[in-house]
Amino acid sequence: MKEVNLSLVGYGIVGHGVVEVLTRKKKMLQEMGLGIKLISVTDHTGTITSEAGIDETRILPEKTLANVANSSMKGKEAIGAIDSDLVIEVTPTNIVHGQPGLGHMEAALSGGKHVVTSNKGPLVVAYNRLKKLAEDNGVNFKFEATVGGTMPLISLVERTLIGNTVYCIRGIFNGTCNYILTRMAEENIPYVHALSEAQDMGIAETDPSYDVEGVDTAGKVVILANALFDMNIRYSDVDVTGITGVSPEALGLAKMRGYSVKLIGDVPALTVRPTLVPIGSPISVAGTLNSAAIYTDLSGTITVTGLGAGSIETASAILSDIISIYRTKQINAVS
Ligand SMILES: NC(=O)c1ccc[n+]([C@@H]2O[C@H](COP(=O)([O-])OP(=O)(O)OC[C@H]3O[C@@H](n4cnc5c(N)ncnc54)[C@H](OP(=O)(O)O)[C@@H]3O)[C@@H](O)[C@H]2O)c1
């Protein structure tokens, strides 16, 4: 049995999902030979830590750690002090300076700990630096959940499609925009009405600009470009147009001609813009779904679709990254 001590930093929607998924899958992981032990959880309010492993039933009902923390240690301090093998970083995203996640990831990687994350910001700001830090310290840096949530895109390209040349990845990487465009087209309603419906349903934030202006999608384009196309680009290299200028009339005209309008991110074109997509094309998915078409030399075009967000769904991508770290040697060995 390979014993693995985990630290979780960030205990919001995704953090709770991670704890729940680890609890649900404990037996399956043990059968796989992985003894995963969650030895610390940190949020804004402090840290709960236990060398014997945290009792999930104590923390799952708690929204924050305020009532259960047994230490006042915060992010970097906790990462440095707690003897874990792997840090799951799920704090809020900031794509301008990457903090607090960037500092957490640097502390973990430079301390010889693997990092698994759903937090885009640090990768948008400093992907190549973080990758090098991981390599220099002989640890893994995994981030499947940063693009397309549960949709297996990064591992699909890195592992399953290995040997192919990937020419291009084009897709829908923001469920909020996709929901708004879908509702506008279905009901012939203006953008503001569809946005307000999405806000009422909790699909869009009170300040939706990060999603609807294409910022979130552009961040994902940066991650895909740097991680899968060996580029070294920044957010400012992406040409971004959001969906706020899309009218119901434009959607109606497109529909008459057999097209839907989707917010499409494109790598390596480095564009994010509302784009005509043939209705019936595999990437023309509705509602909050995400999709990606991967254009390759040997396999033709592969399309994946899936939920781009959600507590358990995002935790599922995190779990697969955790497992892949410890199965890497067996699967990847070429001798
Ligand atoms: N939600 C999704 O479906 C989804 C999907 C894909 C990717 N993501 C990404 O995953 C990350 C987490 O998302 P989320 O929805 O779980 O966010 P969230 O609900 O806002 O949770 C963020 C957590 O981080 C904590 N935190 C904030 N600053 C911290 C600090 N300095 N040190 C330690 N903890 C700190 C927060 O604590 P307090 O509550 O005490 O402030 C909270 O527990 C984000 O980067 C997001 O973009 C989310």
Side-chain angles (χ1 to χ4, degrees):
M1 181 77 69
K2 170 80 183 165
E3 300 294 340
V4 179
N5 286 343
L6 294 190
S7 286
L8 174 65
V9 182
Y11 193 52
I13 293 168
V14 177
H16 281 75
V18 167
V19 175
E20 191 176 331
V21 163
L22 289 175
T23 309
R24 273 206 228 166
K25 297 290 175 177
K26 188 169 251 163
K27 189 160 171 279
M28 191 193 91
L29 290 163
Q30 279 168 349
E31 284 164 4
M32 231 179 245
L34 271 179
I36 301 272
K37 192 160 67 177
L38 183 63
I39 60 163
S40 74
V41 183
T42 300
D43 73 1
H44 233 165
T45 63
T47 294
I48 177 167
T49 178
S50 163
E51 275 180 34
I54 292 167
D55 174 3
E56 302 86 2
T57 58
R58 256 192 90 202
I59 60 168
L60 272 175
E62 302 286 334
K63 195 162 186 297
T64 76
L65 300 173
N67 295 327
V68 288
N70 54 11
S71 157
S72 60
M73 285 191 294
K74 299 280 166 58
K76 281 192 274 189
E77 189 191 354
I79 292 166
I82 292 162
D83 188 21
S84 55
D85 306 302
L86 189 154
V87 172
I88 302 167
E89 213 291 338
V90 290
T91 63
T93 276
N94 182 302
I95 62 158
V96 177
H97 50 62
Q99 300 297 351
L102 182 54
H104 296 159
M105 293 180 196
E106 285 172 331
L109 294 170
S110 57
K113 296 165 195 220
H114 304 296
V115 169
V116 173
T117 190
S118 60
N119 182 357
K120 289 169 288 294
L123 285 89
V124 173
V125 174
Y127 171 77
N128 286 312
R129 191 156 51 129
L130 289 167
K131 190 78 188 158
K132 175 143 193 337
L133 199 54
E135 279 162 14
D136 289 349
N137 286 281
V139 288
N140 282 274
F141 176 47
K142 309 282 279 180
F143 44 86
E144 181 71 71
T146 58
V147 183
T150 203
M151 195 167 71
L153 178 54
I154 290 165
S155 57
L156 180 64
V157 173
E158 279 186 335
R159 284 174 172 254
T160 315
L161 293 177
I162 195 159
N164 276 266
T165 299
V166 176
Y167 298 127
C168 169
I169 299 176
R170 231 173 251 151
I172 298 170
F173 301 119
N174 184 280
T176 305
C177 290
N178 204 34
Y179 179 84
I180 292 170
L181 290 173
T182 302
R183 292 296 294 151
M184 286 174 72
E186 278 172 358
E187 303 292 331
N188 195 27
I189 52 175
Y191 163 77
V192 281
H193 289 186
L195 169 63
S196 127
E197 181 186 294
Q199 285 170 323
D200 288 345
M201 294 177 69
I203 293 169
E205 303 281 341
T206 317
D207 174 4
S209 51
Y210 186 73
D211 291 318
V212 297
E213 284 168 12
V215 180
D216 175 69
T217 303
K220 291 162 179 168
V221 163
V222 174
I223 294 172
L224 293 176
N226 289 342
L228 300 180
F229 289 78
D230 286 330
M231 297 170 91
N232 187 8
I233 64 148
R234 291 182 301 184
Y235 181 86
S236 56
D237 295 316
V238 185
D239 182 6
V240 189
T241 307
I243 63 164
T244 54
V246 177
S247 66
E249 292 74 27
L251 291 170
L253 268 175
K255 202 170 174 179
M256 273 168 49
R257 289 170 169 74
Y259 290 92
S260 55
V261 175
K262 300 292 182 188
L263 186 70
I264 298 291
D266 188 319
V267 191
L270 306 185
T271 53
V272 173
R273 56 177 67 129
T275 304
L276 291 172
V277 177
I279 293 170
S281 139
I283 63 164
S284 182
V285 292
T288 57
L289 282 174
N290 283 204
S291 64
I294 307 156
Y295 299 80
T296 73
D297 60 343
L298 304 178
S299 305
T301 305
I302 311 281
T303 309
V304 281
T305 72
L307 290 168
S311 176
I312 297 295
E313 293 81 358
T314 308
S316 142
I318 289 173
L319 177 68
S320 89
D321 274 348
I322 295 170
I323 296 171
S324 76
I325 289 175
Y326 294 99
R327 297 184 91 192
T328 298
K329 288 198 180 79
Q330 291 134 30
I331 295 175
N332 278 354
V334 176
S335 55

